[in-house]
Amino acid sequence: MRRKFVVGNWKMHKGPQEADALAEALKKALAGRDATVDVGVAPPFVSLPAVVSRLKHTGIVVAAQNLHAEQQGAYTGEVSSEMLRQVGVAYCLVGHSERRQLFGETDASVARKVGACFRSGLLPILCVGETLAEREAGQEAAVVTRQLDAALGALGADQVPSVTIAYEPVWAIGTGKTATPLQAQDMHATIRGWLEAKFPAFVAKSTRIQYGGSVKGNNAAELMRMPDIDGALVGGASLNAEEFLAIIAGAATASGG
Ligand code: PGA
């Protein structure tokens, strides 16, 4: 069985002090819980040390939002997977649509970053998803399949299950427009079908696929009740402890917990 996995992507919000306060609120609220759901947060780089330290031994995992593909060198302004590992980060988002759209990331650079995660023992959360224009042209499955081929196609079957795939339709991110549970399930089934076609059966069975795009407390459970939706990657709603906790509660409800 795949446990639901809910991750809050804080984007460019919350410096060290605010991040520590939010982490502390989550830690308190989730202490001693019946952990039927895996939970993580992805603060900005500068807030990672405070959050890693605050969440030590809580079971709440910490992710970075980005990394550079090289381990070190003359890359002004960049951070490597090895540096993130040293800070105690366990996961890293790779290929978020904002990185692809605003910062020029390509399928090829995303693939290199997935490789860098593996070299440092970081677990990638690979983001894929189509734009509105691509969906309107009926290309959503082709686009997501292309992104998967590029980022994961060359990995070994033993590596893929440690990747979390986040399906995030670009038109649903930060817009308040959520994919319907059926629209999301449809694409998640396509992604799982891609895994089935490329790798031995255990890979598709065990790899988690999150949905992202305007997930809130009031739509989390119905999305995650879908058979191929194994969690959520949450932006805006993860900045508020209560709202994020409501999403985690929705995930628990959806897993029957
Ligand atoms: P949103 O962002 O929840 O604010 O739509 C999701 C994401 O970008 O991961």
Side-chain angles (χ1 to χ4, degrees), residues 7-9 11 93 96-98 127 166 168-170 172-177 211-216 232-238 247:
V7 174
N9 171 12
K11 306 193 177 181
L93 306 188
H96 188 280
S97 67
E98 286 153 15
C127 304
E168 300 201 298
V170 176
I173 294 179
T175 56
K177 240 175 123 179
Y211 168 78
S214 300
V215 177
K216 304 272 185 292
L233 182 56
V234 185
S238 71
I247 293 168

